[in-house]
Amino acid sequence: MKKVVLSGVAPTGTLTIGNYLGALKNWKEMQKDYDCLFMIVDMHAITVRQDPSSLYNRCISFATQYLACGIDPQESTIFIQSSVSAHSELAWILSCFTHLGELNRMTQFKSKAKRYSSNINAGLYTYPVLMAADILLYQTDIVPIGEDQKQHLELTRDIAQRFNNLYGEVFKLPEPYISQMGARIMSLLDPTRKMDKSDSNPNNYIALLDEPDVVRKKIRHAVTDSGSEIRVDERKPGISNLLTIYSCLSEQPVSKLEERFAEKGYASFKEELAELIIQTLKPIQKEYRRLMDNRDYVIDLLQEGAKKARTRAERTLREVKKRIGFLYLTQDQQ
Ligand code: AMP
Ligand code: TRP
């Protein structure tokens, strides 16, 4: 039996090379060795106000970008979170096993409450409980996430353990997986901040769907540091970030790149980096366009994915309901 891997991205903003290097590229590599489920978490997305037609289109576009990046629907289960109602059902149950004190400690809630101060809704607050439901429904072993989600995973484990202590071993305790390569790609204009797909200034990120000329322009304008040496140094966050991107995309160690660019200036390094990004994105964009011309095929795949996910999720949900004493009736018996 392969171990279960589950992860998801919220359909907000624009998928970036940060998402590619920190998530999609690793997912692609994991799918051969693991039983993988990859979601588009639209229910998490609505904790921030979304325009309905943009949300709808972005879900299809993100799913298509997953596929174009090499997530294989024969190997992995790709689905939209809201298509599997067990997520909301389990989230409610788990919310009754989560303390306010635990949610109060979540740093993402605090930062999002600041960022979206005009709409601090209950969903934003209980967001980590829904994430726990996402994970626990599938008896997940490993959850690939970014550093910023570690706290949510620890909470997931605490909730699972609390439930298991009360009702017996229902949930598997998941482990986080934070890949070192590409774990943190930084913003192009402010390399002390993470490259964020919801950044209001697109010059801070390279989108997976950026045209070559746009990539060249953004890299040319990326902040570098004083001095002219091309090496990783914590006092040089700009050039360090660009070297990290180069290293992840080319799968060459940074030390080799430092040697290679020792005699070169920032301008020619940036030029080469832009070309490397363009070449990496080219086949992804080509496949994206091909699939977007066959939207019905993508929607069919998402239907299939949801069907597979539903069957698996239902198994856990049924067990949970039984253990807490709910009268479990299947649809046919109602
Ligand atoms: P987010 O874009 O914050 O919704 O994150 C979705 C996934 O992409 C998570 O698994 C993150 O770890 C990954 N990710 C997002 N931004 C970056 C980044 N700047 N560097 C590395 N990984 C990232
Ligand atoms: N909260 C995650 C993020 O912001 C997205 C997410 C939702 C997720 N449910 C998940 C990630 C389950 C991994 C597993 O990046």
Side-chain angles (χ1 to χ4, degrees):
M1 282 276 275
K2 287 182 180 172
K3 286 195 171 181
V4 176
V5 165
L6 171 136
S7 197
V9 175
T12 54
T14 314
L15 287 175
T16 69
I17 53 165
N19 296 118
Y20 178 70
L21 294 173
L24 292 162
K25 187 166 182 277
N26 301 324
W27 295 1
K28 180 185 169 200
E29 281 157 21
M30 291 178 105
Q31 60 185 351
K32 286 192 185 50
D33 301 320
Y34 298 95
D35 172 10
C36 293
L37 297 120
F38 298 120
M39 300 176 291
I40 288 145
V41 292
D42 54 347
M43 294 203 294
H44 279 99
I46 62 163
T47 55
V48 172
R49 201 66 72 228
Q50 303 293 334
D51 169 64
S53 73
S54 309
L55 179 65
Y56 180 95
N57 288 320
R58 207 180 280 122
C59 281
I60 297 175
S61 171
F62 274 32
T64 308
Q65 288 177 71
Y66 283 16
L67 297 167
C69 286
I71 307 299
D72 179 352
Q74 303 298 329
E75 272 182 309
S76 304
T77 304
I78 306 171
F79 67 103
I80 309 279
Q81 181 187 33
S82 65
S83 320
V84 183
S85 56
H87 290 246
S88 342
E89 289 188 64
L90 184 63
W92 172 257
I93 295 171
L94 296 181
S95 74
C96 302
F97 295 86
T98 308
H99 302 311
L100 294 188
E102 290 175 312
L103 294 178
N104 288 336
R105 280 197 291 276
M106 296 295 120
T107 57
Q108 182 177 292
F109 171 69
K110 289 184 215 168
S111 61
K112 285 205 174 167
K114 253 190 221 146
R115 185 162 171 182
Y116 305 103
S117 57
S118 61
N119 179 23
I120 309 178
N121 59 75
L124 200 60
Y125 187 63
T126 57
Y127 176 115
V129 183
L130 177 58
M131 180 162 163
D134 297 340
I135 296 167
L136 299 175
L137 272 176
Y138 299 94
Q139 305 297 338
T140 305
D141 293 284
I142 302 164
V143 187
I145 39 167
E147 276 291 333
D148 59 326
Q149 296 298 310
K150 241 172 109 176
Q151 199 185 26
H152 291 164
L153 202 81
E154 278 155 21
L155 177 65
T156 300
R157 289 171 59 93
D158 290 342
I159 297 171
Q161 214 146 20
R162 184 170 303 141
F163 193 94
N164 286 353
N165 287 341
L166 288 165
Y167 301 105
E169 296 295 307
V170 178
F171 297 125
K172 189 170 264 180
L173 295 189
E175 300 282 346
Y177 169 79
I178 297 168
S179 155
Q180 275 332 95
M181 280 296 265
R184 220 170 139 77
I185 303 297
M186 310 307 276
S187 151
L188 297 179
L189 297 180
D190 178 1
T192 58
R193 282 192 302 123
K194 202 181 99 164
M195 185 181 283
D196 178 0
K197 73 184 196 306
S198 301
D199 202 309
S200 55
N201 181 358
N203 292 322
N204 276 318
Y205 57 73
I206 303 278
L208 288 189
L209 301 177
D210 273 347
E211 298 285 339
D213 280 345
V214 175
V215 173
R216 283 190 198 102
K217 196 176 109 239
K218 287 183 178 177
I219 293 295
R220 216 179 301 128
H221 291 153
V223 164
T224 39
D225 315 88
S226 55
S228 57
E229 261 181 287
I230 298 172
R231 65 183 159 79
V232 167
D233 183 332
E234 58 187 48
R235 285 161 303 175
K236 291 161 75 82
I239 201 74
S240 300
N241 184 41
L242 298 183
L243 268 168
T244 304
I245 297 173
Y246 200 117
S247 160
C248 292
L249 289 176
S250 64
E251 293 179 0
Q252 289 179 63
V254 166
S255 57
K256 230 173 133 183
L257 298 173
E258 287 172 337
E259 250 171 62
R260 180 163 154 218
F261 290 104
E263 303 300 319
K264 295 193 182 170
Y266 285 164
S268 65
F269 168 68
K270 281 180 160 184
E271 227 168 87
E272 281 198 42
L273 173 61
E275 290 316 309
L276 175 61
I277 296 171
I278 291 165
Q279 288 314 317
T280 308
L281 297 185
K282 202 170 156 187
I284 295 173
Q285 294 177 351
K286 191 169 164 218
E287 181 63 359
Y288 175 78
R289 282 192 294 267
R290 188 184 74 80
L291 289 165
M292 283 301 269
D293 287 340
N294 294 284
R295 267 179 187 229
D296 290 348
Y297 167 75
V298 175
I299 290 171
D300 279 351
L301 285 181
L302 291 171
Q303 287 277 19
E304 277 304 304
K307 211 163 128 190
K308 282 199 276 177
R310 251 177 240 134
T311 309
R312 295 173 67 162
E314 199 56 41
R315 225 177 291 148
T316 303
L317 186 63
R318 191 184 309 131
E319 189 58 27
V320 167
K321 288 184 172 177
K322 218 168 82 187
R323 301 268 183 141
I324 43 182
F326 285 0
L327 197 66
Y328 188 86
L329 300 176
T330 63
Q331 299 249 311
D332 310 337
Q333 290 168 304
Q334 276 168 3

